[in-house]
Amino acid sequence: MAEELALLVADVFEAAGALRRAGEALAGAEGQTQARWQLMSVVSEESLPVARAARRLGVARQGVQRIANELVRDGLAEFRDNPDHRTSSMLALTPSGRRALEAITARAEAAHRAMGEGIAQADLATLRALLRRLTEQTDQWTEAEAEAEAEAEAEAGTGAEAGGAKRGTRSRAATDRRPE
């Protein structure tokens, strides 16, 4: 089981790389990058603060802020007042940004049809369900590991044993082991 999962992880990373390259090509054909495309897509339904957009994308806020600033500079997006927070503006697409996003999306739809040719819709649905389940279980494992690490650090801060070793710490080898 663990070996098959390790092979699946490698396959997912390989597929992610191929999809990232395809995404860069699709966005590049419209003078954009995949990162800009992703951010435009995230704020296309509703204006969002940069921090919330970053959370939805699962990336660092600082990188999203840089891309947001570029989109604003290029007239594809704008910052609007946030009624819930005076210092955290909302990022929204401009009409030019919507046109750019629509052009990339049209290219992506055609590419997805070509990429998915010969793959049954039921197979894609099954694969998506399995990937969502694997993602959820991976997130649960990651959260449990973080909690265990925090508990170990809290226990370690309560005192020292003979020889200066802290109680409750896990060996370096134990904390470095992670399933693939």
Side-chain angles (χ1 to χ4, degrees), residues 151-153 155-157 161 165-172 174-175:
E151 287 175 15
E153 288 176 7
E155 288 176 15
E161 294 178 345
K166 293 183 179 179
R167 278 194 307 248
T169 58
R170 296 157 75 184
S171 72
R172 178 140 178 86
T175 58

Side-chain angles (χ1 to χ4, degrees), residues 63-100:
V64 174
Q65 184 68 60
R66 180 185 56 77
I67 295 165
N69 291 343
E70 290 174 5
L71 291 172
V72 169
R73 179 198 67 214
D74 294 344
L76 300 172
E78 63 187 6
F79 289 115
R80 296 180 179 165
D81 290 338
N82 183 344
D84 297 326
H85 198 281
R86 285 192 319 257
T87 61
S88 178
S89 299
M90 307 281 272
L91 184 66
L93 290 183
T94 63
S96 294
R98 289 203 179 281
R99 285 190 297 277

